[in-house]
């Protein structure tokens, strides 16, 4: 039985996204640890989308911005943020990363 559709296959990315949960108050010492964790997870899931869940961040500051910028570089592409509050989005905008990290 034919559905009338073409015979081409749909391109579907079945790779599960990497979700990196960032919570609490970040210190500068946390930044290399987060990048190392992401590097390991990217090695195990080549080509996966990276989502940073930042909903649990407490009082985001420039350390959080630095961490997100470095994670974006580690991912070698755009990362998506989940749960970013107004304060974090304003900080990202002030340093020029509002449209890069989204």
């Amino acid at each position: 039985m034919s559905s009338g559709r073409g015979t081409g296959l749909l391109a579907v990315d079945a790779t599960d996204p990497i979700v990196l949960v960032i919570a609490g108050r970040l210190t500068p010492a946390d930044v290399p640890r987060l990048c190392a964790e992401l590097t390991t997870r990217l090695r195990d899931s080549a080509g996966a989308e990276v989502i940073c869940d930042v909903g649990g961040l407490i009082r985001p500051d420039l350390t959080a911005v630095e961490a997100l910028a470095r994670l974006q570089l580690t991912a070698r592409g755009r990362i998506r943020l989940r749960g970013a509050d107004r304060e974090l989005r304003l900080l990202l905008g002030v340093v020029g990363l509002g449209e890069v990290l989204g």
Side-chain angles (χ1 to χ4, degrees), residues 8-47:
L9 297 176
L10 295 175
V12 177
D13 182 8
T15 306
D16 290 331
I18 295 171
V19 178
L20 190 64
V21 178
I22 304 171
R25 178 115 180 153
L26 292 180
T27 67
D30 293 322
V31 178
R33 178 188 55 79
L34 288 167
C35 290
E37 180 182 341
L38 180 57
T39 297
T40 299
R41 293 178 71 184
L42 284 168
R43 196 175 311 126
D44 296 339
S45 302

Side-chain angles (χ1 to χ4, degrees), residues 69-89:
R70 287 186 177 213
L71 289 168
Q72 194 270 343
L73 291 172
T74 300
R76 292 192 173 116
R78 188 177 172 123
I79 62 175
R80 289 189 339 173
L81 300 182
R82 178 189 299 163
D85 66 8
R86 183 177 183 275
E87 186 176 353
L88 179 58
R89 291 200 180 276

